[in-house]
Amino acid sequence: MKRQDYLSWDEYFMGIAHLSARRSKDPNTQVGACIVSEENKILSVGYNGMPTGCNDDDMPWDREGEFLETKYPFVCHAELNAILNRSTGSLKNAKIYVSLFPCNECAKAIIQSGIKEVIYGDDKYADTDNVRASKRMFDMAGVKIRLYKKTDRLVRIEL
Ligand SMILES: O=c1[nH]c(=O)n([C@H]2C[C@H](O)[C@@H](COP(=O)(O)O)O2)cc1CO
Ligand SMILES: [Zn+2]
């Protein structure tokens, strides 16, 4: 008989999103994204980080202060990185697993790339206009949004 406790597709892809987030240097919020095709094949992954060539150690990671002294104008979001990391082929009808609900800028990129479903783990910024704008655009564009349902399964990987 086959194993019964194998990971579901949702657990597998959300797990990869969370593992990718562990690469993030952001001291406050680590975000990971995993894009998969309609056939559940992984197309791309990403996490939030500074643009290529912009040294992590020379960039600010603060949340407050002078705008140019914070991370906000510089950091590349996990979803955008995952979209841009896809070297060839289209993302039409793909799904994106993200540990955090996408901001409005990422929502635009998600819609324009042809992604049709967003499965998110956390929505801690739900009360912001940013996220309200995302939801409005997803709704109008016919992009399905779905909260990832936690299974309480713990996966321990020895590294
Ligand atoms: O959808 C997202 N994707 C994403 O990668 N991020 C990144 C940008 C920042 O590095 C960090 C948010 O930082 P903070 O929670 O401290 O404001 O998460 C943030 C959001 C939501 O705004
Ligand atoms: Zn974003």
Side-chain angles (χ1 to χ4, degrees), residues 51-146:
T52 308
C54 302
N55 193 322
D56 295 334
D57 296 315
D58 301 335
M59 302 301 281
W61 289 103
D62 292 339
R63 310 183 70 221
E64 279 159 15
E66 279 289 311
F67 187 53
L68 291 177
E69 304 299 321
T70 71
K71 63 187 169 183
Y72 295 111
F74 309 108
V75 75
C76 204
H77 290 195
E79 304 90 319
L80 187 63
N81 273 332
I83 289 168
L84 298 174
N85 284 346
R86 167 76 172 151
S87 40
T88 52
S90 130
L91 297 179
K92 207 166 179 298
N93 297 324
K95 305 177 274 187
I96 186 165
Y97 287 78
V98 274
S99 55
L100 179 63
F101 198 92
C103 76
N104 60 315
E105 293 299 331
C106 290
K108 296 178 211 175
I110 287 169
I111 292 166
Q112 296 304 72
S113 70
I115 292 172
K116 280 288 176 270
E117 186 175 2
V118 175
I119 302 99
Y120 61 99
D122 185 12
D123 199 6
K124 67 175 176 173
Y125 294 129
D127 288 341
T128 65
D129 282 346
N130 219 309
V131 167
R132 284 190 197 100
S134 294
K135 287 177 182 166
R136 193 192 292 182
M137 288 188 279
F138 285 145
D139 185 43
M140 292 181 83
V143 173
K144 188 177 161 197
I145 56 176
R146 170 162 70 85

Side-chain angles (χ1 to χ4, degrees), residues 33-54:
C34 176
I35 302 178
V36 305
S37 72
E38 285 177 286
E39 297 85 31
N40 288 326
K41 291 179 182 167
I42 296 170
L43 301 177
S44 191
V45 290
Y47 57 88
N48 55 326
M50 292 300 168
T52 308
C54 302

Side-chain angles (χ1 to χ4, degrees), residues 22-39:
R22 297 282 292 267
R23 281 278 308 152
S24 175
K25 321 294 185 308
D26 191 313
N28 192 56
T29 303
Q30 303 82 40
V31 187
C34 176
I35 302 178
V36 305
S37 72
E38 285 177 286
E39 297 85 31

